[in-house]
Amino acid sequence: MPSSPERPDRPARPARVTLGADGPLLVEGPVEVVGDDGTVYTSRRFTAAICTCRKTRTYPWCDTSHRRRVKPEDREKTDATDRTDGAA
């Protein structure tokens, strides 16, 4: 991202963050993320996916673990229709 002529330490435009309904935060990169313990994580990619579900094995980066999660209301529907004892 090019820097502003008045302030070389500031980008010319703000970083774009995209919020998804059931997924990660998508941040235009490169980006640095500071963890709650002070650890700095760096991504040089053009877009970084930051985990919001905390199920990832590569925290703070999203590894799509949220896709494997079943919502409680969906689980109840599945349990009710998958009975093998003949009950409805």
Side-chain angles (χ1 to χ4, degrees), residues 33-37 39 41 49-63:
V33 176
V34 180
D36 55 1
D37 63 353
T39 304
Y41 303 91
I50 300 174
C51 177
T52 58
C53 73
R54 295 227 176 209
K55 296 195 179 295
T56 183
R57 293 183 202 156
T58 58
Y59 193 79
W61 314 119
C62 178
D63 67 0

Side-chain angles (χ1 to χ4, degrees), residues 58-77:
T58 58
Y59 193 79
W61 314 119
C62 178
D63 67 0
T64 68
S65 292
H66 61 275
R67 293 182 186 168
R68 294 186 283 277
R69 188 178 75 189
V70 176
K71 295 180 182 177
E73 63 270 9
D74 292 341
R75 187 177 303 128
E76 290 171 9
K77 290 176 190 172

Side-chain angles (χ1 to χ4, degrees), residues 7-57:
R7 299 276 319 260
D9 59 331
R10 296 246 172 139
R13 65 179 180 86
R16 179 172 297 203
V17 178
T18 304
L19 303 172
D22 293 323
L25 290 175
L26 299 177
V27 182
E28 287 185 4
V31 63
E32 286 186 345
V33 176
V34 180
D36 55 1
D37 63 353
T39 304
V40 177
Y41 303 91
T42 304
S43 173
R44 301 280 178 222
R45 294 176 175 227
F46 63 93
T47 300
I50 300 174
C51 177
T52 58
C53 73
R54 295 227 176 209
K55 296 195 179 295
T56 183
R57 293 183 202 156

